[in-house]
Amino acid sequence: MKGARWQAGLSLDRTAAAVTAVMALAAVLALAGAPRPAAAQAILRGIVLDEDGTRPVPSADVELVGERRRAQTAGDGRFELAGVAPGPHRLRVVALGYRDADTTLVASAVLSPAHRIVLARAPLPLEGISIAPGRFGLLEASPAVSGTVLTRADIEAIPQIGGDVLRMLRAMPGVASDDISAKLNVRGAAPRDTQVRLDGMELFEPYHLQDQDGALGVVDLESLGSMEMITGGFPADMGGRMGSILDMRTRPPPAEGKRTAAGLSLSSVFFSSEGTFAGDRGQWLATARRGFLDIVLDITGVDDKLSPRYWDGLGRVQLLVAPDHLVSFEVLAAGDDGLWSDEEDSGAHLESNWSSGYAWATWQASFRPGLRAETLVSAGHLGRDRTGSLAKPDDGVFTPLLGTVRDLASYDFAGIRQDWQVTVSEDLVLKSGFDLRYGSADYDYASSASWHFLDENGRIGTREDRSRVETSPTGYEGGGYLSARTRWGSKLTSEVGLRLDGLSHTGDRDVSPRILARWDPGQRTSVKASLGQYVQGQRLYELDVVDGETAFSPAERGRQVAVGLERRFAGGLSGRLEAYHRLVDDARGFFVNVAREINPLLELDSDRMRLDPTRSRAQGIELILSQEGEAPLAWSAMYVLSRSEDELEGIWVPRTLDQPHTLSLRTAFPRGRSWQVSASWQYHTGWPATDQIVEVVIPADPGGEAARILQRGFGPLNRARLPAYHRLDMRATKSFGVGHGQLELFLDVFNVYDRVNLRGFAYNLVPSGRSWISRRVPGEELLPRLPTLGFRWVF
């Protein structure tokens, strides 16, 4: 798809009809849900703070003693109990890492400021201490996960296309991605190096719209209660990937009754509902989302060849079958249908269907004090079906004269994982476990492409390239680990672990030792460090048949070291400084399109190239400053100095998304009000680029009407640089009560000042005397200014 600014025609004028429809629907909902006169009732508002009086305490349980009314504090520490009788009420506040607090607050029928509740810190249990560097808590956090950079309020305030949680993670340090893709390149690692998990289940294909480089994630933000991202060295119980871990957990139900949410924007519609049953021993959650980017492109009049459609749904039921035994069942399904037709430009046509489904059951048990186990049994399926063609008889240089693709692939798996934890004493915790998975894949791929070429006699000819791969590999993959976490006095904690991983279809067997340590010289300061080896094998579903591969590559092996310093200052200011270095031996080869054009049939482009690095490395320093607490203005600033490279034929070459300098600023104002305006600005060094060399060759015997032939070549890989990238996004939200619920209207503006950011260069031929030369011009452009209007209703 030449010219990725396919939204260039999208403006406020062209979306007037859609905007009006959304506003009208919101007004109808507001009128329909208008509250009726009722007896005098009061609202009890409060904010729970750390003992320093400035840092909010999220995820604290607030209970009205004797009244069976409960609430949970939000990311800014605030809570609200509506419909209570005016007068004094006794409250009990419980939060991990703090001593329980009992207090009496007075509820008033008149709007009054939030009551302040200050909690005293209590020693955390050993297993609850965050010990890994590069570990960040998101959505709802607790002292167990230090270094929280994005609360739920922060994430919901971030302006972003489609409200997608994976795209929002670009605000995290060390994460690089372009405007089109939601795939995570963390600290120089490729997206395949990140493990994405939901409630303990690994998601092998966590992205929608794979033909557009994975533009969205398959898990809706509305279904999530917490996330942790580990970008540094992770402990031995996490294996299989060497780049990073994204661990997502579904949200808990409300303390009483049920919670339902629905929303509509110019890109998707969603619905979620959750509640309890069996006397609050059981909980359920159901979410569904339908994306209609195809409809948006149609009603806004954007002249584009892309028609993407996607959907996903999640269901979870859990039941406390005994006081110490919790059983849960979950299902996640997602699907995409795409149509891409670019007959005028590249002569291309593609129809595709992608699907994924996961089902898993989890049993969490405590057999006696200090002995816990968790067992997860899973099964699932991945599938894709792509049929495409190219017809560009006047080219034969950048794309084939003629080309066809037929791509069918599937992957089915079943597995079991078990984890044990034994608390030997207050200062020693042992952990062990294993995971085992059997899988079978099926590939049926065929492609053909014809090209112009000059034969040895200087005559123009046509060659045809064909590829045919049909294979059905099967095999086992598994791993086991053993680790010990020890507290040495009141200031030092360490964890030493050993992991064994293996794949039957590659014959890999690898041992990975790891050590992590945390030192707390003061109450507000902590230093974390990690050193370890990490192994990543090629999974059955990762065979690159579209590029003719028929055999799996051996496992990659890497070593990582990371050191981080965290400090909380007075007034809610906190800072974090971290350095890391990763070196990967036996790096796996991969294919790239060096021109970086957006084209769902990338395997047929003439810029397709295989790279076989002997090693790869990434290193950097990250600095984060953030302001929390009761101040109406919340802000954060992040700077990253980094480098990521591959060693190719003895030369270190920058990776595709290498960005040596990254700066990000984020702010939201005011906090805790019915309306809010937030802004996010980011800057980074332009990505590497490869110069193209297009030559005009006059054949010895032109033959017929042909007078010349073009030949395409490339200069040194990634030696050029695109212009610097920068962008400002803004979001305005307005919330107000509707009946017993809350209605939120929002307006996002992506790329407010319409910065033209490039994904790659283009090259034109211009005459120069009697010859022609190739001249670099702006080419593939990223997204322009893009407004999105919508609403979210929670009741």
Side-chain angles (χ1 to χ4, degrees):
M1 181 172 59
K2 183 65 177 175
R5 290 169 69 89
W6 45 265
Q7 291 94 338
L10 187 59
S11 64
L12 289 175
D13 292 335
R14 304 180 76 174
T15 58
V19 170
T20 302
V22 172
M23 292 296 291
L25 180 57
V28 170
L29 290 173
L31 292 175
R36 299 177 181 178
Q41 292 182 334
I43 297 177
L44 191 59
R45 294 184 176 89
I47 178 170
V48 180
L49 302 172
D50 184 87
E51 61 186 8
D52 63 7
T54 60
R55 187 180 180 88
V57 178
S59 301
D61 290 321
V62 181
E63 179 184 4
L64 282 175
V65 179
E67 301 184 39
R68 296 183 58 84
R69 295 290 307 278
R70 298 167 62 188
Q72 190 175 73
T73 58
D76 58 0
R78 297 178 184 271
F79 69 90
E80 181 177 294
L81 288 163
V84 301
H89 295 268
R90 184 185 170 198
L91 277 78
R92 177 173 293 118
V93 183
V94 179
L96 180 63
Y98 296 92
R99 302 188 189 279
D100 296 353
D102 287 311
T103 186
T104 299
L105 302 181
V106 178
S108 174
V110 180
L111 184 64
S112 60
H115 299 281
R116 289 165 51 94
I117 303 175
V118 178
L119 300 183
R121 282 185 171 269
L124 277 171
L126 182 58
E127 62 269 25
I129 297 176
S130 171
I131 193 173
R135 189 167 194 152
F136 300 92
L138 300 99
L139 292 177
E140 308 296 345
S142 71
V145 183
S146 56
T148 301
V149 293
L150 294 175
T151 64
R152 177 174 291 278
D154 293 332
I155 285 184
E156 291 178 348
I158 292 176
Q160 191 54 260
I161 298 173
D164 186 71
V165 64
L166 295 184
R167 300 179 72 90
M168 291 176 180
L169 292 177
R170 299 174 186 183
M172 301 292 292
V175 177
S177 187
D178 65 29
D179 294 354
I180 307 298
S181 176
K183 293 184 176 180
L184 303 175
N185 297 263
V186 182
R187 289 185 172 180
R192 73 185 185 199
D193 302 331
T194 293
Q195 183 183 92
V196 179
R197 307 194 305 187
L198 177 65
D199 289 341
M201 178 70 215
E202 182 177 359
L203 307 182
F204 304 118
E205 291 288 0
Y207 303 100
H208 279 302
L209 307 179
Q210 294 276 22
D211 294 319
Q212 284 74 50
D213 201 19
L216 298 167
V218 299
V219 180
D220 186 17
L221 174 63
E222 194 64 31
S223 64
L224 296 179
S226 67
M227 293 190 294
E228 286 184 62
M229 190 165 190
I230 308 179
T231 59
F234 31 92
D237 57 315
M238 299 178 178
R241 304 287 94 173
M242 66 170 56
S244 60
I245 302 290
L246 176 60
D247 190 12
M248 302 182 291
R249 297 285 171 174
T250 50
R251 67 189 306 159
E256 58 182 12
K258 69 176 183 177
R259 176 186 180 275
T260 302
L264 173 68
S265 71
L266 296 181
S267 60
S268 65
V269 59
F270 79 87
F271 175 84
S272 73
S273 187
E274 56 187 326
T276 61
F277 64 94
D280 292 342
R281 292 188 300 109
Q283 302 173 353
W284 56 271
L285 167 70
T287 68
R289 180 174 55 162
R290 165 60 158 96
F292 38 77
L293 291 175
D294 53 333
I295 300 176
V296 173
L297 295 175
D298 182 45
I299 66 175
T300 56
V302 175
D303 183 18
D304 193 76
K305 292 83 178 174
L306 181 66
S307 180
R309 299 176 296 275
Y310 66 93
W311 62 270
D312 54 63
L314 169 69
R316 174 175 61 83
V317 176
Q318 67 179 38
L319 179 65
L320 189 65
V321 296
D324 295 319
H325 296 267
L326 180 67
V327 178
S328 64
F329 302 90
E330 298 184 59
V331 176
L332 172 67
D336 299 9
D337 291 298
L339 173 63
W340 181 64
S341 182
D342 192 16
E343 304 291 346
E344 295 181 0
D345 188 5
S346 62
H349 181 87
L350 174 70
E351 295 183 22
S352 66
N353 176 270
W354 299 73
S355 61
S356 61
Y358 307 85
W360 67 103
T362 308
W363 172 32
Q364 302 175 52
S366 295
F367 296 103
R368 62 177 176 80
L371 177 60
R372 300 206 304 264
E374 179 175 306
T375 304
L376 186 149
V377 179
S378 63
H381 170 83
L382 305 177
R384 72 171 183 259
D385 183 348
R386 301 165 62 236
T387 303
S389 63
L390 290 169
K392 199 68 173 176
D394 57 342
D395 192 340
V397 177
F398 300 99
T399 58
L401 300 168
L402 295 172
T404 61
V405 166
R406 183 74 175 111
D407 181 16
L408 292 171
S410 64
Y411 172 65
D412 296 279
F413 67 90
I416 182 172
R417 197 193 77 222
Q418 191 168 73
D419 300 280
W420 290 82
Q421 179 175 297
V422 181
T423 302
V424 179
S425 69
E426 292 184 354
D427 297 323
L428 177 62
V429 173
L430 302 179
K431 295 189 293 184
S432 67
F434 73 91
D435 58 87
L436 180 64
R437 182 183 302 114
Y438 174 79
S440 63
D442 186 64
Y443 297 97
D444 186 356
Y445 180 84
S447 67
S448 64
S450 58
W451 305 85
H452 277 318
F453 83 109
L454 289 178
D455 64 18
E456 58 185 9
N457 298 318
R459 295 185 176 88
I460 295 178
T462 301
R463 79 170 193 273
E464 187 169 10
D465 298 331
R466 291 183 176 272
S467 178
R468 183 78 171 93
V469 178
E470 188 173 5
T471 183
S472 300
T474 63
Y476 290 90
E477 61 178 278
Y481 69 92
L482 177 65
S483 66
R485 175 174 288 201
T486 309
R487 179 156 45 196
W488 309 88
S490 61
K491 298 183 182 298
L492 181 63
T493 306
S494 67
E495 181 170 326
V496 179
L498 191 67
R499 183 174 183 89
L500 172 66
D501 289 284
L503 299 174
S504 66
H505 58 279
T506 62
D508 290 310
R509 299 290 187 276
D510 294 281
V511 177
S512 306
R514 303 175 190 179
I515 181 170
L516 303 93
R518 170 173 174 159
W519 175 49
D520 296 291
Q523 185 177 6
R524 297 171 177 263
T525 306
S526 65
V527 180
K528 302 178 184 179
S530 69
L531 174 65
Q533 181 168 311
Y534 300 84
V535 178
Q536 180 169 310
Q538 188 175 12
R539 304 281 182 80
L540 284 169
Y541 62 89
E542 293 179 316
L543 190 61
D544 200 357
V545 295
V546 300
D547 291 298
E549 288 192 347
T550 58
F552 292 91
S553 301
E556 301 173 280
R557 298 166 181 85
R559 298 178 297 279
Q560 295 190 48
V561 58
V563 179
L565 169 66
E566 299 177 25
R567 171 70 178 174
R568 297 202 318 273
F569 302 93
L573 180 66
S574 62
R576 182 168 183 159
L577 179 66
E578 188 158 319
Y580 64 90
H581 178 83
R582 178 176 63 247
L583 179 65
V584 178
D585 298 315
D586 306 319
R588 189 198 312 174
F590 58 96
F591 288 83
V592 297
N593 289 78
V594 295
R596 302 191 62 188
E597 296 177 350
I598 300 174
N599 179 356
L601 293 172
L602 289 173
E603 67 262 43
L604 295 186
D605 272 2
S606 61
D607 66 336
R608 191 74 168 172
M609 181 182 300
R610 179 182 173 90
L611 304 180
D612 288 295
T614 53
R615 295 182 297 172
S616 66
R617 68 185 181 189
Q619 51 196 343
I621 300 175
E622 301 169 352
L623 174 63
I624 309 167
L625 294 174
S626 62
Q627 175 71 52
E628 302 176 1
E630 293 186 88
L633 178 67
W635 62 269
S636 68
M638 177 186 70
Y639 171 72
V640 179
L641 175 66
S642 64
R643 181 173 62 183
S644 60
E645 302 168 302
D646 291 313
E647 187 182 43
L648 299 169
E649 298 180 353
I651 299 175
W652 287 101
V653 178
R655 305 200 87 179
T656 302
L657 293 186
D658 174 62
Q659 46 191 56
H661 300 280
T662 304
L663 177 63
S664 177
L665 305 174
R666 181 176 52 83
T667 185
F669 178 87
R671 300 188 70 179
R673 305 289 180 85
S674 63
W675 63 271
Q676 184 180 82
V677 176
S678 60
S680 174
W681 183 81
Q682 56 182 289
Y683 164 92
H684 64 71
T685 310
W687 295 314
T690 302
D691 280 322
Q692 300 183 45
I693 303 171
V694 181
E695 298 178 327
V696 178
V697 180
I698 306 299
D701 181 5
E705 299 179 358
R708 65 173 187 249
I709 183 173
L710 302 181
Q711 290 187 337
R712 188 187 198 187
F714 300 95
L717 182 69
N718 287 346
R719 294 299 177 87
R721 284 274 177 183
L722 298 173
Y725 179 105
H726 53 89
R727 190 187 82 227
L728 173 67
D729 304 332
M730 297 189 71
R731 179 184 178 101
T733 61
K734 171 64 177 176
S735 301
F736 47 90
V738 177
H740 297 290
Q742 190 85 357
L743 180 66
E744 177 186 283
L745 302 179
F746 64 86
L747 172 65
D748 280 343
V749 183
F750 179 91
N751 196 0
V752 173
Y753 52 81
D754 203 20
R755 163 73 176 181
V756 178
N757 291 304
L758 296 183
R759 179 184 174 98
F761 289 122
Y763 294 82
N764 290 342
L765 278 176
V766 295
S768 176
R770 296 184 177 181
S771 63
W772 299 71
I773 61 174
S774 178
R775 176 175 296 173
R776 180 197 294 171
V777 296
E780 203 74 38
E781 297 177 358
L782 295 173
L783 300 183
R785 181 189 300 118
L786 181 62
T788 303
L789 182 69
F791 76 88
R792 177 171 170 265
W793 186 24
V794 180
F795 54 95

